[in-house]
Amino acid sequence: KKVSSPPEDCVESCYPRLQEFVEMADPEVVVCVGKDPAKVIYDAQWEGYHILNMSHPAWMLRVDITQRSLTIQKETVSLASGIEEYLWP
C-alpha cells in the first residue's frame, strides 16, 4: 500500500533540521530517496551540493515482479553513474 506524501507542515517543521544536518556533515553528494525529498531539495534550490535522485526502495518492491530486477539494476547504475560523474568529471 502506498503511503501518501507527508503534510506540508511536517516538511516545513523538519526542513531546518535537515538543512542544519547537511551543513554540519558537508557531504560531497546528497542522495534524495523518493520524489518528495527531491521536490523539497530542488524547490529550495540548494547550491554547492551534488544532488542525486533515486526511486524509493518501497516503490521498487511494488513494481511488477517481471520488471523488478531491471528496475533495481537501472537505479543502481543511475546512482553509480551520478557518483562517478561527480568524482571523476
Side-chain angles (χ1 to χ4, degrees):
K1 178 182 173 190
K2 182 176 181 350
V3 177
S4 63
S5 298
E8 190 64 32
D9 61 327
C10 291
V11 173
E12 288 174 11
S13 66
C14 292
Y15 184 78
R17 179 70 179 125
L18 171 65
Q19 194 169 23
E20 179 184 348
F21 178 77
V22 170
E23 287 172 4
M24 284 188 321
D26 194 29
E28 293 187 31
V29 176
V30 175
V31 178
C32 297
V33 180
K35 66 179 169 98
D36 293 326
K39 182 181 181 326
V40 169
I41 298 300
Y42 282 112
D43 285 354
Q45 297 179 345
W46 283 20
E47 296 194 18
Y49 297 102
H50 188 69
I51 309 293
L52 298 176
N53 297 317
M54 70 172 281
S55 299
H56 196 284
W59 174 82
M60 288 187 265
L61 293 175
R62 286 193 306 269
V63 170
D64 183 76
I65 190 73
T66 60
Q67 296 296 312
R68 190 173 299 156
S69 179
L70 179 61
T71 300
I72 293 170
Q73 185 177 14
K74 285 167 74 174
E75 289 294 325
T76 303
V77 168
S78 176
L79 275 177
S81 296
I83 291 170
E84 258 183 40
E85 183 180 299
Y86 173 73
L87 294 177
W88 301 287

